[in-house]
Amino acid sequence: MVQSFKNKLIKIPYYLPYLLLFAMGGCQMNYQPLQQPSARPTPVAFIGSDDSTSIGTENWHTFFDDPYLVHLIDTTLAGNMDLQIATQRIEVARASYNYSQGFLMPQVDLAASAGLDRYGKTTLNGVGNFDTNLSSNVQGNLLIPNPTPDFFLGARSTWEIDLWGKLRNRRKAAYIRFLASQEGRNLVITSLVAEVARHYYTLLSLDGELEIIQKNMDLQQNAVELVKVQKLAGRVTELAVQQFTAQLLNTQSRQRRIQQQIIETENQLNRLMGRFPQPIERGKSLQEWELPGQVLAGLPTQMLTRRPDIRQAELELQAANIDIDVARASFLPSLNLSAYVGVNSYRLETLINPASIAAGLLGGLTAPVFNRRFLKANYGQSVAQSRESFYRYRQTVLTGFSEVVTNLRGVENYRAVADLQGQEVDVLRKAVATSNDLFAGGYASYLEVITAQRSVLEAELALISSKQAQFLALTELYRSLGGGWQ
């Protein structure tokens, strides 16, 4: 009777082979390798430049030859909050990579457990334990009590064997994203270097505008004094005095407006440097600066290998493609091993007995059957994210080319604009001197003097703005060529 009962227990159901075949069939994959959209060829040279040397390869310490600006950039890179955040993102990516490495090794945990089971007399364990206690070989501490305690002290381990490279690919994707996070930090550095330079040149431009306005205010003040004397002499009316005075007041209001702009720009720089508002030490005004004689853009291949945003987008694309392989491997069976070793006993006093040493090993092959909808959705999401990364990479490359060409042409065009405006300023300054002489001699009206003074002021301010635009374009060209992070 007992033997017949045991035969029934080990008898394999006739439908088990069909169930295994069904499970293995659920693992089949019909997904072809991902085909990315065709990429358009990149230009071999920038429009208006065929040089092989690029200013993007220069270190920013040498590219910016102003010691005040270099000090500001150093201070910014040491205290900027955005850069500190980018550094922590690298640490997050590093931890994610270390986390993914752990899946390739067995997971081992120390375990201590205690349990209590009360078996019914008509249960399999209850009948077996009762029958065992009747044996002459079971005496003393070997008798099985009811309720039955269960004590275990040892180690348990689980390990997924990486049959299809799923875990290795997951680790590889995490490592590539770690590299991408480093490029993200480099991108923050290039942006900060360029932004500090932009604010600094803006300050120098505002200083130049203050100098111009102060000089014109002195001229206008002299004109007011002169026209008051001429009014007393009966040569002009009160209207002339009012017109000259109004022009002086307008220039004084401009002075106040520029002083406020200087404070705002200084505070923006202080915020970038991570410090509270304070005056910014700087050099001579932008009126005394001249652009370098030649600006070299180099070849597009140099820009592609140097710009941190392009390098980051390329790495993100590689990681997204690897994610597809991970999602594809999820359809295949996985082999898991479980093991334990330790001491196990149903009596606490015999737990540390050598006879209580126990060990076990179990291997299992699992395959997805009823959760394929989730796996398909995950695979589709990975494909979509890969294509998104591809288009983002192409968009970043196009942005890079556009920025380089725009700023390269901008440097030359603003240089020509500044040259012409310089000639205009020289002519208008002579016109002011001529109008003053003619007005003093009675051959010109006061309106002509006012017009000449206003024209030279506007021309001088326009000239300083063009010089600022030159240096801003040069700074943006340096950044767009991948300079500033090394």
Side-chain angles (χ1 to χ4, degrees):
M1 184 72 175
V2 174
Q3 185 66 32
S4 175
F5 179 72
K6 291 183 178 179
N7 289 339
K8 290 182 180 180
L9 286 179
I10 63 175
K11 186 176 181 181
I12 300 177
Y14 70 92
Y15 56 81
L16 183 59
Y18 300 100
L19 182 61
L20 292 176
L21 289 176
F22 175 71
M24 296 301 294
C27 302
Q28 296 179 359
M29 291 185 55
N30 297 319
Y31 298 106
Q32 301 298 325
L34 178 66
Q35 298 293 328
Q36 291 284 13
S38 58
R40 289 172 289 177
T42 56
V44 296
F46 294 114
I47 299 176
S49 175
D50 56 357
D51 306 300
S52 59
T53 304
S54 170
I55 60 174
T57 60
E58 295 184 38
N59 189 286
W60 58 266
H61 284 91
T62 57
F63 179 77
F64 300 108
D65 58 355
D66 187 336
Y68 295 100
L69 176 55
V70 170
H71 174 70
L72 290 176
I73 294 176
D74 279 329
T75 306
T76 300
L77 297 183
N80 181 262
M81 295 295 104
D82 291 331
L83 188 56
Q84 300 299 328
I85 293 173
T87 302
Q88 295 309 309
R89 287 175 183 162
I90 294 179
E91 295 305 317
V92 171
R94 190 197 306 274
S96 178
Y97 170 66
N98 293 334
Y99 182 79
S100 66
Q101 278 187 307
F103 288 103
L104 292 171
M105 303 299 295
Q107 311 297 310
V108 181
D109 300 312
L110 293 177
S113 62
L116 184 68
D117 290 319
R118 185 187 185 284
Y119 300 108
K121 293 183 178 180
T122 59
T123 63
L124 181 63
N125 288 328
V127 173
N129 292 342
F130 177 79
D131 186 58
T132 300
N133 285 339
L134 296 178
S135 172
S136 59
N137 296 325
V138 180
Q139 301 291 332
N141 290 336
L142 297 181
L143 291 174
I144 304 174
N146 190 21
T148 306
D150 185 20
F151 302 102
F152 177 81
L153 179 65
R156 301 183 186 274
S157 175
T158 59
W159 188 17
E160 180 180 354
I161 306 300
D162 193 19
L163 295 176
W164 320 108
K166 177 179 66 176
L167 301 180
R168 291 190 296 272
N169 282 331
R170 188 176 295 167
R171 179 187 63 177
K172 184 177 180 181
Y175 179 71
I176 292 177
R177 288 192 169 93
F178 166 67
L179 298 179
S181 68
Q182 292 179 321
E183 296 299 337
R185 182 178 183 273
N186 293 336
L187 178 60
V188 173
I189 292 176
T190 59
S191 300
L192 285 175
V193 169
E195 191 169 359
V196 170
R198 285 195 296 267
H199 288 311
Y200 183 76
Y201 290 136
T202 299
L203 278 178
L204 297 184
S205 174
L206 293 172
D207 290 342
E209 291 183 12
L210 273 184
E211 293 177 4
I212 292 171
I213 286 179
Q214 185 60 53
K215 182 183 64 176
N216 280 269
M217 283 173 56
D218 294 338
L219 294 175
Q220 293 170 7
Q221 184 65 47
N222 293 333
V224 170
E225 298 299 331
L226 176 61
V227 78
K228 286 181 178 179
V229 172
Q230 291 185 339
K231 176 192 172 185
L232 294 176
R235 297 184 56 184
V236 297
T237 63
E238 178 63 22
L239 179 59
V241 176
Q242 292 172 348
Q243 291 285 348
F244 276 97
T245 303
Q247 179 179 247
L248 176 60
L249 292 172
N250 179 266
T251 307
Q252 289 173 338
S253 67
R254 281 192 173 191
Q255 181 188 43
R256 291 293 185 178
R257 188 181 301 112
I258 292 175
Q259 289 173 345
Q260 177 60 27
Q261 292 175 354
I262 289 176
I263 293 175
E264 293 174 357
T265 307
E266 285 183 330
N267 288 339
Q268 289 173 350
L269 264 176
N270 284 315
R271 182 184 59 82
L272 287 177
M273 289 185 283
R275 66 187 191 185
F276 292 105
Q278 56 185 278
I280 299 295
E281 189 177 4
R282 50 191 180 272
K284 57 188 178 182
S285 71
L286 211 58
Q287 293 186 92
E288 305 176 37
W289 284 60
E290 294 294 337
L291 275 182
Q294 188 177 15
V295 178
L296 303 177
L299 299 175
T301 53
Q302 295 172 308
M303 185 267 292
L304 293 175
T305 57
R306 287 197 56 82
R307 277 185 65 124
D309 55 344
I310 294 179
R311 292 156 61 100
Q312 183 183 24
E314 183 179 5
L315 290 170
E316 291 289 354
L317 175 59
Q318 294 178 18
N321 290 337
I322 296 175
D323 287 340
I324 295 178
D325 295 332
V326 174
R328 185 183 291 114
S330 299
F331 289 89
L332 302 175
S334 60
L335 176 61
N336 295 273
L337 298 180
S338 299
Y340 72 91
V341 61
V343 289
N344 187 208
S345 177
Y346 49 80
R347 292 187 183 276
L348 190 60
E349 59 269 20
T350 61
L351 182 64
I352 312 300
N353 195 307
S356 299
I357 296 177
L361 178 65
L362 175 66
L365 193 65
T366 59
V369 177
F370 298 106
N371 58 340
R372 284 178 57 85
R373 177 176 298 179
F374 302 102
L375 298 178
K376 288 180 180 180
N378 182 52
Y379 179 81
Q381 183 182 30
S382 299
V383 171
Q385 289 175 343
S386 175
R387 294 191 183 278
E388 178 186 353
S389 299
F390 174 80
Y391 291 121
R392 184 178 293 111
Y393 170 73
R394 291 295 303 165
Q395 183 183 47
T396 307
V397 172
L398 290 174
T399 301
F401 273 89
S402 175
E403 290 178 348
V404 170
V405 174
T406 299
N407 293 305
L408 182 63
R409 301 300 290 270
V411 170
E412 299 304 322
N413 288 332
Y414 285 124
R415 189 199 301 270
V417 170
D419 290 340
L420 294 173
Q421 287 179 334
Q423 299 176 33
E424 179 188 6
V425 168
D426 292 338
V427 173
L428 289 175
R429 284 174 179 170
K430 294 177 182 178
V432 169
T434 302
S435 65
N436 287 334
D437 294 339
L438 293 176
F439 179 69
Y443 295 100
S445 67
Y446 67 89
L447 292 177
E448 291 175 309
V449 177
I450 292 176
T451 301
Q453 291 179 349
R454 183 183 298 116
S455 297
V456 73
L457 174 60
E458 297 296 338
E460 288 176 339
L461 293 178
L463 175 59
I464 198 70
S465 296
S466 296
K467 281 200 169 185
Q468 178 189 1
Q470 286 182 10
F471 284 93
L472 293 183
L474 180 62
T475 301
E476 284 300 305
L477 178 62
Y478 178 64
R479 181 199 59 78
S480 61
L481 289 172
W485 60 266
Q486 69 274 30

